[in-house]
Amino acid sequence: MSKKRWISTFFHNATIKRQLYTIYTAVVVVPILLLGTFLMMYIYHMMVNYYTDLLKSDNYRVRNVLFDITMEVYSISKDISFDDGVREILASEFDKRQEYVHAVDRNAVLSQYAETYAEVSKIEIYTDNPFLSDYKLFKRTSEEIENTTWYQQALTKSGVFWQQISWEDGYRDSKWDLCLVKKIPLVNSPYHAALVIHIDDNYLRMWVDSSEYISVMSVDRGPVFYSSDRERDGKAQPWIVDFDDPYFHYTGLTGVEGNKYFIDVSTFRAYQSGSRIYLSTLDPKGYSDIQSILYLCGAIILTALVIPGILILIFTRYFTNRVNVLRQQMHKASTQDYELITSFRGRDELSEAFEDLQVMVQNIKEQEAKTYEAQLKEQELMIRQQEMEFKMLASQINPHFLYNTLETIRMKALTAGDKEAATATKLLGKSMRYVLENTGTSFTTLEEELNHLDEYMEIQRLRFGDRVQYEKKVEDGLELSKYYILPLLLQPMVENAIIHGMEELEEGGKIVLSVYRKDMDGSQLLMIDVDDNGCGMDEETLGKLRRDIEVRDMSRSRSIGLYNINQRMKLHYGDGYRIHIYSEPGQGTRIRLNIPVDKCSSET
């Protein structure tokens, strides 16, 4: 099938609603999605390139700062380590400390570098010469210092190298400094010396820190000696670094501690040194900014789809509803149902077609009116005849035959040892006797009605076991035999509570019947409440039930018993006396009858 023929077949066979939705999808949704996806991808790549270029620029800036600092510190280390005065002090064996102190104070090189360069926080010269003590830059090596990796490496290495070294401040907080370490060669001396120059952390932060980016630095495979937020100091770099690659460089998106960052990692070789400093620059806002822009673009695309979609939906519903209404009315007329609607929305071709349909139907109705009325009368006579035949058949049922049959079944159950079946048969017989004896009667005593209810609950207890508990509360001093009510009022109320109130309870169900008197508006009422602890009803369901018991609807299967009780109450006692239903979700349901005492205590 060719494409053109397929399209033609589709529009011939599809409904109007489907055709409109298909056109909207093809003309609006698909182009906007394709164009929007392309633009979002383009914007994403453009923004990624923009942020990574800025990140590389800042990383390059920091590398230049480090280059200047390391070059300057290297120059300082060179001047100090090759100064003859410093070597002489390190190689000398002073008899008195005063001579040693005087020699150190007299050295101009040490005083100059300790006070002039802001990038240097402190200079330390460690020596194992026992004739020297801690004074100014000179430090006697302790066992702890001699066991450090950097000190042992300094004694075996001729050139300079860089090392992160931790130290404690006056508050016993650990600090990390980037330090230049260099062996000071002592000719013809049995002693050793190592120069350590600490780069000032505050000076480094002044030149490195940025309000937009986070910088993290480490030396070789060592821990971080510098981080903008200080949280990573002394820890390993939290992202993968290939230490085996001498020129390792990475730029891209990476996950750090559950967040995503743009990161640029570069390798920087310190001036005149084999040490490699790994410099990582992170952008904490770049990815979120791109996400925000993409979300905004997505919202714009979604708006461009939703607004036309809503308009198309409203128009399609309006148009197809009118078409469906016209079609339904035409279908009704074709099936000889001429009760059409009186008005049709709009003043277009559809409304004109409906007006023509009304004229045609009116002509048909006038021609068939007499025949239709005759058919209705004939049908009414047939219905009445069927009702009379049913009543005649029902009157032939002999109640004594039912009682004797049930009694025979009960005796057989007792003979077979099935006491439970015998009890159930006995209760059923008593219940049927009560129903049949009160069918057609106007009143029964409240005592007999409650006894019948007890028998009914005994039958339900055989069915449900402990799942449903029954409790009866009667006001003290209330003589049940002196009050007369309409028969068979209470059993449908309790049955409704069991069937609908307990349908979601597996256990713990309880039904409480309360009978008491209450004074209200100058008259005394007999109140009968049926409470259950079932699932209850929301306002919508409760409202529907209240309407169902007021308005007769033969198509429904629920609430018929409550409807009948309500109608009987209103017919006998008046409109003010009826069923009242109260319920809340999860709080159970209460069905209440209010009967005027003056109309139930004097009836016989």
Side-chain angles (χ1 to χ4, degrees):
M1 183 182 293
S2 64
K3 184 177 180 181
K4 183 177 181 181
R5 185 178 178 185
W6 181 87
I7 295 175
S8 177
T9 303
F10 171 79
F11 280 101
H12 277 98
N13 298 331
T15 62
I16 295 176
K17 180 185 291 186
R18 188 177 178 188
Q19 292 179 32
L20 291 174
Y21 288 160
T22 302
I23 293 173
Y24 169 72
T25 303
V27 176
V28 179
V29 175
V30 174
I32 289 180
L33 286 178
L34 291 176
L35 182 61
T37 302
F38 171 77
L39 289 176
M40 289 181 68
M41 292 177 62
Y42 176 78
I43 291 173
Y44 174 77
H45 289 294
M46 182 181 69
M47 295 299 294
V48 168
N49 292 334
Y50 171 75
Y51 279 103
T52 52
D53 288 343
L54 292 179
L55 203 61
K56 290 178 182 178
S57 298
D58 193 76
N59 189 279
Y60 180 74
R61 176 188 67 83
V62 176
R63 286 206 309 272
N64 288 335
V65 171
L66 285 177
F67 177 80
D68 293 340
I69 294 175
T70 55
M71 184 176 65
E72 188 69 31
V73 172
Y74 173 80
S75 177
I76 296 172
S77 69
K78 185 177 178 181
D79 292 343
I80 293 177
S81 61
F82 290 104
D83 181 73
D84 293 336
V86 173
R87 291 184 177 185
E88 182 180 353
I89 293 173
L90 292 171
S92 299
E93 298 180 354
F94 295 97
D95 294 331
K96 296 181 180 180
R97 175 176 170 78
Q98 185 177 0
E99 296 177 359
Y100 162 63
V101 171
H102 181 68
V104 173
D105 292 340
R106 200 170 46 182
N107 190 292
V109 173
L110 298 178
S111 301
Q112 171 187 355
Y113 287 111
E115 299 174 357
T116 304
Y117 293 93
E119 61 265 43
V120 177
S121 62
K122 59 182 176 179
I123 301 175
E124 298 172 322
I125 302 175
Y126 290 92
T127 178
D128 57 1
N129 187 341
F131 294 94
L132 303 184
S133 59
D134 294 350
Y135 182 66
K136 289 190 176 180
L137 277 63
F138 294 90
K139 307 288 182 182
R140 275 286 302 277
T141 57
S142 61
E143 183 178 355
E144 181 181 357
I145 294 296
E146 290 176 352
N147 291 330
T148 59
T149 303
W150 62 264
Y151 182 78
Q152 295 176 3
Q153 186 178 353
L155 298 183
T156 58
K157 204 168 185 178
S158 58
V160 301
F161 65 92
W162 293 85
Q163 181 78 29
Q164 65 282 338
I165 298 178
S166 64
W167 56 282
E168 291 184 352
D169 59 9
Y171 301 98
R172 302 187 66 82
D173 293 330
S174 295
K175 303 291 183 181
W176 290 83
D177 285 345
L178 176 63
C179 302
L180 180 144
V181 182
K182 184 180 186 306
K183 177 182 179 181
I184 300 178
L186 301 178
V187 182
N188 298 325
S189 174
Y191 307 121
H192 306 88
L195 172 65
V196 179
I197 302 178
H198 293 252
I199 293 180
D200 187 79
D201 183 72
N202 293 327
Y203 180 85
L204 196 60
R205 292 185 183 278
M206 181 180 66
W207 287 97
V208 171
D209 277 358
S210 168
S211 60
E212 298 181 2
Y213 303 110
I214 298 173
S215 296
V216 180
M217 306 179 202
S218 62
V219 180
D220 294 328
R221 297 177 182 269
V224 172
F225 67 83
Y226 176 91
S227 63
S228 299
D229 52 9
R230 299 181 185 271
E231 293 181 358
R232 298 179 177 86
D233 291 354
K235 302 176 183 178
Q237 295 239 22
W239 37 85
I240 298 176
V241 177
D242 187 1
F243 295 106
D244 296 327
D245 184 358
Y247 302 101
F248 175 74
H249 184 267
Y250 171 77
T251 303
L253 189 66
T254 186
V256 181
E257 299 170 353
N259 298 315
K260 286 192 174 182
Y261 299 93
F262 285 112
I263 185 172
D264 185 70
V265 184
S266 62
T267 305
F268 168 72
R269 285 187 173 272
Y271 181 75
Q272 294 295 324
S273 168
S275 300
R276 286 178 287 185
I277 299 177
Y278 294 95
L279 171 61
S280 302
T281 306
L282 291 85
D283 185 353
K285 298 181 179 179
Y287 183 72
S288 60
D289 290 345
I290 293 177
Q291 278 187 317
S292 300
I293 293 174
L294 292 180
Y295 288 152
L296 178 61
C297 293
I300 294 174
I301 293 172
L302 186 62
T303 303
L305 290 174
V306 170
I307 293 179
I310 293 175
L311 296 177
I312 288 292
L313 180 64
I314 293 174
F315 172 76
T316 301
R317 286 186 176 180
Y318 171 75
F319 184 75
T320 55
N321 284 341
R322 296 179 69 233
V323 172
N324 288 333
V325 169
L326 179 59
R327 178 177 172 274
Q328 290 170 2
Q329 298 306 308
M330 294 178 68
H331 179 73
K332 288 175 65 177
S334 68
T335 58
Q336 299 181 353
D337 182 1
Y338 303 127
E339 297 300 324
L340 306 182
I341 58 176
T342 58
S343 62
F344 187 82
R345 289 183 299 173
R347 298 299 303 169
D348 53 10
E349 292 84 348
L350 293 179
S351 59
E352 292 175 358
F354 179 74
E355 290 174 357
D356 293 340
L357 177 64
Q358 282 183 314
V359 173
M360 181 187 68
V361 168
Q362 185 63 31
N363 293 333
I364 296 174
K365 288 172 66 176
E366 291 176 356
Q367 295 175 5
E368 297 183 353
K370 294 182 180 180
T371 305
Y372 184 70
E373 291 178 1
Q375 291 176 349
L376 288 177
K377 291 180 179 179
E378 183 180 356
Q379 185 177 5
E380 184 177 355
L381 291 174
M382 292 177 61
I383 292 174
R384 289 181 179 179
Q385 182 179 358
Q386 290 175 355
E387 290 178 351
M388 292 178 64
E389 291 176 353
F390 177 76
K391 291 180 178 179
M392 291 176 63
L393 179 62
S395 64
Q396 296 175 6
I397 299 176
N398 189 345
H400 296 289
F401 169 75
L402 295 177
Y403 304 150
N404 294 334
T405 302
L406 290 175
E407 182 64 20
T408 302
I409 295 173
R410 187 178 76 87
M411 294 305 297
K412 286 183 176 294
L414 285 174
T415 303
D418 192 344
K419 294 183 178 180
E420 186 175 352
T423 301
T425 305
K426 178 181 178 181
L427 292 172
L428 179 60
K430 293 176 69 175
S431 179
M432 289 184 62
R433 180 183 294 273
Y434 179 81
V435 172
L436 292 174
E437 288 179 351
N438 284 278
T439 300
T441 62
S442 299
F443 298 99
T444 185
T445 65
L446 182 57
E447 182 179 22
E448 291 176 350
E449 183 75 2
L450 293 180
N451 290 337
H452 167 64
L453 192 59
D454 292 340
E455 294 166 359
Y456 172 77
M457 288 306 301
E458 286 294 330
I459 296 174
Q460 295 300 329
R461 188 174 293 109
L462 291 174
R463 176 185 175 189
F464 293 102
D466 294 335
R467 179 182 169 188
V468 178
Q469 298 295 325
Y470 170 65
E471 182 180 355
K472 182 170 63 176
K473 297 179 180 180
V474 179
E475 179 184 335
D476 292 339
L478 189 65
E479 297 185 35
L480 301 178
S481 60
K482 293 184 178 181
Y483 289 89
Y484 291 82
I485 65 173
L486 297 175
L488 302 175
L489 283 183
L490 305 185
Q491 184 264 333
M493 296 166 56
V494 176
E495 182 178 9
N496 184 80
I498 294 175
I499 295 176
H500 303 300
M502 304 295 175
E503 59 185 353
E504 296 184 6
L505 293 180
E506 295 294 334
E507 59 182 9
K510 187 173 183 179
I511 295 176
V512 179
L513 176 73
S514 303
V515 181
Y516 57 96
R517 289 168 296 188
K518 184 177 182 180
D519 293 327
M520 183 178 297
D521 298 331
S523 61
Q524 191 175 48
L525 301 178
L526 178 66
M527 313 295 288
I528 303 176
D529 293 345
V530 176
D531 295 274
D532 67 71
N533 63 341
C535 56
M537 292 175 281
D538 55 29
E539 292 184 3
E540 181 180 356
T541 305
L542 181 60
K544 184 178 183 304
L545 178 58
R546 287 171 174 170
R547 290 192 297 271
D548 288 345
I549 66 174
E550 293 291 339
V551 181
R552 185 177 184 183
D553 184 359
M554 298 305 296
S555 63
R556 69 171 184 263
S557 60
R558 296 182 57 173
S559 307
I560 294 177
L562 297 182
Y563 169 80
N564 291 333
I565 294 173
N566 197 51
Q567 297 304 314
R568 293 172 63 197
M569 290 280 294
K570 290 194 295 182
L571 287 172
H572 184 75
Y573 300 115
D575 287 339
Y577 304 98
R578 61 183 67 198
I579 289 181
H580 301 274
I581 304 176
Y582 312 93
S583 183
E584 292 184 9
Q587 301 298 321
T589 302
R590 167 173 289 178
I591 303 177
R592 170 175 290 172
L593 294 181
N594 55 336
I595 302 173
V597 172
D598 58 354
K599 290 188 178 183
C600 67
S601 62
S602 61
E603 297 286 348
T604 59

